[in-house]
Amino acid sequence: MIVHSRLGITLTLVCTMNAAHAEEKKWEPNYDESKIPAYTLPDPLVMDDGTTVEDPQQWVKRRNELIALFEQHVYGKAPRKPDDLRFKQFDHTPDALDGKAVRKQIRIDFAKGADAPGMDLLMYLPSKTTKPVPTFLLLNFQGNHAVNPDPGIRLSTSWVRDGYPGVENNHSTEASRGAASRRFPIDMILERGYGLATAYYGDIDPDYDDGFNNGVHAQFDTDPRPDNAWASIAAWAWGLRRAMDYLETDNDVDPKHVFVMGHSRLGKTALWAGALDERFAMVISNNSGCGGAALCRRAIGETVGKINQLFPHWFCKNFTRYNERENDLPVDQHMLIALAAPRPIYVASAEKDRWADPKGEFLSCLHADPVYRLLGTTGMPAKRWPALDEPVHGRIGYHYRTGGHDVTDYDWQQYIDFAEKHFQGK
Ligand code: GTR
């Protein structure tokens, strides 16, 4: 008996190890274009009932249909703007950054009560301008105080991922001030006449799989959560919209020229926020990859199955139905790009960021082009994937930059040039 049961245990272990090995093999990312499964993209200009969208009026209906599909199958449905949204400015410094900037910090409370979730919005506006300024709005990964060494920025007390400089036991210390400043070229942004508004994404919803028990989920979720309930990306996008609610009330900001931007998971977030909310005049996706600008159906680099396994809290539960079944998705990410139409949208890829499928990010732009054209604008002027460091600036902008998964000055220069091209003098 004992021998038998021992043998049983041994066999089980061997089987488990084999299974683990097979699992590992299965998740080896594919980077070979010739191994892309055959796929047909759903047509953004064909309604669910088969009608072809032929004019801008019909597009409005199709747009609503697509938003509902993305809510149902990908990101989940977020609650509406809360009635108890409150803004409290706790800092207004007219001579920040050696006199170059006006700094403001605003607490945005999402609900009533001392424990209610909320976020700090940090703003730098050029001190020289006399009129409301166009402003880039983006979430950040490490807390507002990491955006610049400026000691006047309130140090975040929210949960933060360990591993970032100056973070101890999931909390920011003074040593984390300015740790992310390389990705926020504030001087360049101000000199070119733009403002910057940013909030820490973890204020809205901490980025770990917590069973949706904290952040805005704890405040607004129903119990039980439906399979199309919002998850973290939808929550962060909702937070960007609440920042926009504030910016609309700020007389120093031009509310018709607020550009929503994000990198990586926050690029996915910016795309979804821009899709939902037409108050954002321009949308920018920096290296957003799977669940962002990259086509799911190519299944190159990060796949739907892999992202749902690695980050089970990012997308709604329904999205897991498409693990290894991308072809069954009723949408693909070119439709997310098209949801920004006719507003300018910019998608940036990087050479070494193969995990994000740079070519798939371009193809989403290309396949969003018919919607832009229908709405009377140029779409994506390039018909082929552009060469490295050769940006294309149509109504849809795109570049494929040398280097890795990152936000660089080069990226920012393109975004500012692109904004100028579309909005200068308007
Ligand atoms: C990766 C993830 C990507 C991307 C990235 C990031 O680990 O697989 O989808 O979002 O994180 O946000 O930095």
Side-chain angles (χ1 to χ4, degrees):
M1 274 291 279
I2 292 169
V3 172
H4 186 228
S5 90
R6 275 215 183 128
L7 197 65
I9 290 167
T10 314
L11 280 174
T12 315
L13 274 177
V14 169
C15 291
T16 317
M17 278 166 67
N18 280 342
H21 187 65
E23 190 64 10
E24 230 172 67
K25 266 196 125 174
K26 193 168 154 210
W27 282 115
E28 199 60 41
N30 175 42
Y31 290 118
D32 182 347
E33 289 276 328
S34 71
K35 292 197 182 128
I36 294 177
Y39 67 83
T40 311
L41 288 179
D43 190 332
L45 291 177
V46 176
M47 305 279 300
D48 277 355
D49 67 4
T51 322
T52 302
V53 176
E54 269 156 10
D55 55 49
Q57 286 72 34
Q58 271 178 304
W59 168 251
V60 176
K61 278 174 78 185
R62 177 61 172 155
R63 187 182 139 75
N64 291 335
E65 203 172 78
L66 286 175
I67 286 178
L69 288 170
F70 275 108
E71 284 178 334
Q72 181 64 20
H73 299 276
V74 184
Y75 305 105
K77 191 167 169 52
R80 57 180 184 81
K81 175 178 170 180
D83 294 335
D84 293 321
L85 192 71
R86 296 266 188 297
F87 312 127
K88 263 181 273 156
Q89 184 174 293
F90 62 88
D91 171 37
H92 183 192
T93 304
D95 55 353
L97 307 180
D98 301 325
K100 278 180 287 198
V102 175
R103 186 188 65 231
K104 293 188 194 185
Q105 296 181 79
I106 297 97
R107 180 70 185 169
I108 302 182
D109 284 318
F110 300 138
K112 274 193 194 136
D115 295 336
M119 64 183 180
D120 285 356
L121 187 71
L122 166 68
M123 294 168 67
Y124 285 110
L125 305 169
S127 51
K128 288 209 183 86
T129 41
T130 47
K131 57 182 177 53
V133 286
T135 298
F136 289 90
L137 169 66
L138 62 157
L139 296 176
N140 63 70
F141 283 89
Q142 298 174 58
N144 293 348
H145 62 274
V147 160
N148 192 275
D150 179 354
I153 305 174
R154 179 142 94 181
L155 189 78
S156 171
T157 54
S158 296
W159 181 94
V160 63
R161 186 171 294 282
D162 279 336
Y164 286 125
V167 174
E168 282 167 24
N169 302 319
N170 299 115
H171 278 92
S172 305
T173 70
E174 285 292 327
S176 60
R177 287 191 177 279
S181 58
R182 194 182 52 77
R183 286 186 174 177
F184 294 83
I186 290 175
D187 286 353
M188 183 205 307
I189 296 167
L190 295 171
E191 270 159 29
R192 299 218 21 204
Y194 294 86
L196 175 84
T198 185
Y200 172 51
Y201 80 139
D203 280 2
I204 307 160
D205 189 22
D207 188 5
Y208 63 93
D209 184 17
D210 54 62
F212 301 106
N213 285 318
N214 56 22
V216 289
H217 294 290
Q219 182 74 32
F220 297 107
D221 281 9
T222 56
D223 185 20
R225 284 169 48 85
D227 290 355
N228 69 349
W230 63 336
S232 292
I233 289 177
W236 300 325
W238 181 93
L240 282 167
R241 300 183 68 188
R242 304 295 70 87
M244 185 67 206
D245 295 334
Y246 166 74
L247 294 175
E248 283 190 312
T249 70
D250 189 320
N251 291 333
D252 295 330
V253 170
D254 175 357
K256 296 264 179 274
H257 295 104
V258 173
F259 312 138
V260 68
M261 178 207 163
H263 169 61
S264 206
R265 68 199 69 184
L266 297 178
K268 310 180 207 296
T269 303
L271 285 169
W272 182 228
L276 289 169
D277 199 329
E278 293 178 291
R279 291 176 300 173
F280 294 117
M282 180 169 114
V283 184
I284 304 162
S285 151
N286 194 89
N287 305 177
S288 64
C290 181
L295 290 175
C296 294
R297 278 168 173 75
R298 278 169 51 85
I300 273 223
E302 188 169 32
T303 61
V304 172
K306 191 62 179 169
I307 206 167
N308 281 327
Q309 181 206 6
L310 286 174
F311 307 101
H313 58 295
W314 282 4
F315 299 90
C316 76
K317 198 163 172 218
N318 281 338
F319 197 43
T320 59
R321 296 185 190 173
Y322 304 100
N323 293 352
E324 286 84 54
R325 291 180 43 196
E326 295 87 355
N327 259 312
D328 293 348
L329 267 165
V331 289
D332 211 321
Q333 302 307 101
H334 59 310
M335 292 161 150
L336 184 65
I337 305 295
L339 284 171
R343 294 163 292 160
I345 187 166
Y346 201 108
V347 172
S349 307
E351 184 187 15
K352 294 199 180 120
D353 192 19
R354 291 165 75 212
W355 182 237
D357 186 16
K359 186 171 178 190
E361 295 187 312
F362 167 72
L363 289 175
S364 280
C365 297
L366 184 64
H367 294 295
D369 175 87
V371 177
Y372 273 81
R373 305 255 171 205
L374 179 87
L375 299 181
T377 64
T378 61
M380 167 44 66
K383 296 299 161 228
R384 293 227 182 91
W385 190 24
L388 272 174
D389 304 319
E390 285 184 16
V392 177
H393 291 189
R395 191 72 173 176
I396 305 176
Y398 176 85
H399 70 245
Y400 178 43
R401 149 178 78 63
T402 313
H405 188 70
D406 199 359
V407 191
T408 66
D409 283 5
Y410 177 89
D411 296 317
W412 273 104
Q413 268 151 16
Q414 299 308 318
Y415 305 149
I416 296 173
D417 289 351
F418 191 67
E420 257 169 34
K421 173 180 165 132
H422 290 291
F423 298 114
Q424 202 165 45
K426 292 194 181 139

